[in-house]
């Protein structure tokens, strides 16, 4: 349902382009690690992965499971609730490991929450939490770094601005780009693996920003 919603709605909100560093599809049992910048970017990520033939399991905030109808659909599709700040938060990684072992692709946002800023600019990924590294080290799963740019041009800022942004996006049709980098294997301790992952996602994010038409026009 999430992928179907994303592939239907994203083309209405902006012009999405997708590039990859490899011609291969995302391998089963991989972890996709995107940067996290806007309420709109999960839709971009799912729409891009759908174009590449991937329907992933997503680790998402547990609050979504409280929404009538939506919560049940999320559970039936195998998505994983994350109870942030609770003792049960680590259980999400166990469920993610089971999904990887079953050959599913798992989307995990290593930054956790959204940045606390209101401007619409694309900025580099923030501090990574350790969940991605712990999951990758425990399972041996490859990490596919995903960078995207343009989502904050759909929705950013205070609540009224967010609603206005979504309402006007079909008219403005901002440029959106998603770039998937080469898969990486994380090694070392948790700190080293986290630093490696952040560097890979940062590189993918830079690729995404550089491929926006507005960035190309600025560099000319």
């Amino acid at each position: 349902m999430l992928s179907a919603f994303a592939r239907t709605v994203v083309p209405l909100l902006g012009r999405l382009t997708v590039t990859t560093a490899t011609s291969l599809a995302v391998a089963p049992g991989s972890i996709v690690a995107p940067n996290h910048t806007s309420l709109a970017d999960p839709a971009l990520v799912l729409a891009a992965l759908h174009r590449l033939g991937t329907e992933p399991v997503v680790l998402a905030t547990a609050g979504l499971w409280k929404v009538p109808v939506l919560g049940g659909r999320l559970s039936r599709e195998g998505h994983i609730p994350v109870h942030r700040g609770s003792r049960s938060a680590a259980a999400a990684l166990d469920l993610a490991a089971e999904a990887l072992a079953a050959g599913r692709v798992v989307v995990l946002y290593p930054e956790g929450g959204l940045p606390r800023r209101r401007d619409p600019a694309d900025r580099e990924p923030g501090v990574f939490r350790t969940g991605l590294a712990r999951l990758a080290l425990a399972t041996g799963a490859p990490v596919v770094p995903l960078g995207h740019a343009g989502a904050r041009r759909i929705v950013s800022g205070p609540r009224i601005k967010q609603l206005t942004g979504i309402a006007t996006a079909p008219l403005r049709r901002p440029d959106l780009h998603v770039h998937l980098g080469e898969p990486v294997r994380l090694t070392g301790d948790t700190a080293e693996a986290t630093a490696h992952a952040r560097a890979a996602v940062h590189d993918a994010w830079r690729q995404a920003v550089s491929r926006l038409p507005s960035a190309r026009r600025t560099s000319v």
Side-chain angles (χ1 to χ4, degrees), residues 13 153-154 163-174:
L13 298 178
R153 301 176 191 182
I154 296 176
L163 295 174
T164 301
I166 293 172
T168 61
L171 299 176
R172 296 182 289 112
R173 296 191 51 76

Side-chain angles (χ1 to χ4, degrees), residues 16-30:
L16 175 65
T17 52
V18 181
T19 54
T20 66
T22 173
S23 60
L24 301 176
V26 179
S30 297

Side-chain angles (χ1 to χ4, degrees), residues 59-186:
L59 276 76
T61 179
L64 294 176
W65 271 255
K66 297 179 182 179
V67 179
V69 181
L70 176 61
R73 291 293 298 269
L74 292 174
S75 294
R76 286 194 294 273
E77 293 178 8
H79 301 294
I80 300 170
V82 180
H83 298 268
R84 295 192 180 100
S86 71
R87 292 183 178 180
S88 61
L93 295 183
D94 295 333
L95 294 174
E98 293 176 7
L100 292 169
R104 299 296 302 272
V105 172
V106 171
V107 174
L108 187 157
Y109 284 89
E111 294 166 82
L114 292 168
R116 295 183 177 180
R117 58 187 178 87
R118 297 189 171 189
D119 64 277
D122 287 297
R123 296 186 184 178
E124 67 180 30
V127 175
F128 275 22
R129 300 185 182 186
T130 60
L132 171 62
R134 286 156 44 210
L135 179 61
L137 292 173
T139 61
V143 174
V144 180
L146 185 152
H148 61 79
R152 291 187 66 84
R153 301 176 191 182
I154 296 176
V155 56
S156 61
R159 182 65 58 86
I160 293 178
K161 184 180 178 183
Q162 291 176 15
L163 295 174
T164 301
I166 293 172
T168 61
L171 299 176
R172 296 182 289 112
R173 296 191 51 76
D175 294 313
L176 314 166
H177 191 83
V178 172
H179 180 78
L180 279 74
E182 291 277 2
V184 298
R185 296 277 183 176
L186 302 185

